[in-house]
Amino acid sequence: MQAFGSDHASPNAQGHTAKFADGGSLDVGVVVWATGYRPDHSWIAIAGVTVDGRVVHRRGVTDVPLLYFLGMSWQYTRGSALLGFVADDAAYLAEQIVARAGSRRTSQVESAAN
């Protein structure tokens, strides 16, 4: 696993390849954005993910494949943004990620068979 700080930040990504300001790139399977304590989603430039500056989601699950949010205020319950209570939301998202990954694999296998 590799971690990159803000000095490597770049909004440029295509497929599974993240491209950085210094010209480097990295094939990634997962991206975790740690964005701080105040909600500001203005930097997200993905169609349908934000409306009027707010994330469009259902319990942290967006309509964009493989894009999830965790730790947002009132994501599902009052405790969603609190460290002591975020575990329920994290468990739910983990279940959704596994379920979606399974359905994507099934879909890919079915497509390859046809």
Side-chain angles (χ1 to χ4, degrees):
M1 179 192 316
Q2 287 182 286
F4 291 92
S6 61
D7 57 326
H8 293 281
S10 171
N12 191 358
Q14 197 155 33
H16 287 262
T17 303
K19 298 178 182 177
F20 300 98
D22 66 2
S25 65
L26 178 68
D27 287 333
V28 297
V30 175
V31 174
V32 176
W33 292 95
T35 60
Y37 295 100
R38 293 187 185 106
D40 177 6
H41 303 104
S42 63
W43 55 272
I44 301 174
I46 303 170
V49 173
T50 60
V51 173
D52 297 326
R54 300 185 71 150
V55 174
V56 177
H57 69 95
R58 283 173 270 359
R59 291 191 71 179
V61 179
T62 72
D63 289 335
V64 176
L66 306 176
L67 181 61
Y68 304 91
F69 287 84
L70 182 64
M72 294 189 302
S73 184
W74 284 97
Q75 181 167 321
Y76 184 63
T77 68
R78 182 173 150 197
S80 290
L82 303 174
L83 288 178
F85 303 95
V86 73
D88 292 337
D89 290 339
Y92 176 80
L93 283 181
E95 291 169 6
Q96 296 303 305
I97 292 167
V98 168
R100 284 185 169 196
S103 66
R104 286 178 63 101
R105 280 191 213 106
T106 301
S107 174
Q108 290 171 344
V109 169
E110 288 171 354
S111 295
N114 294 327

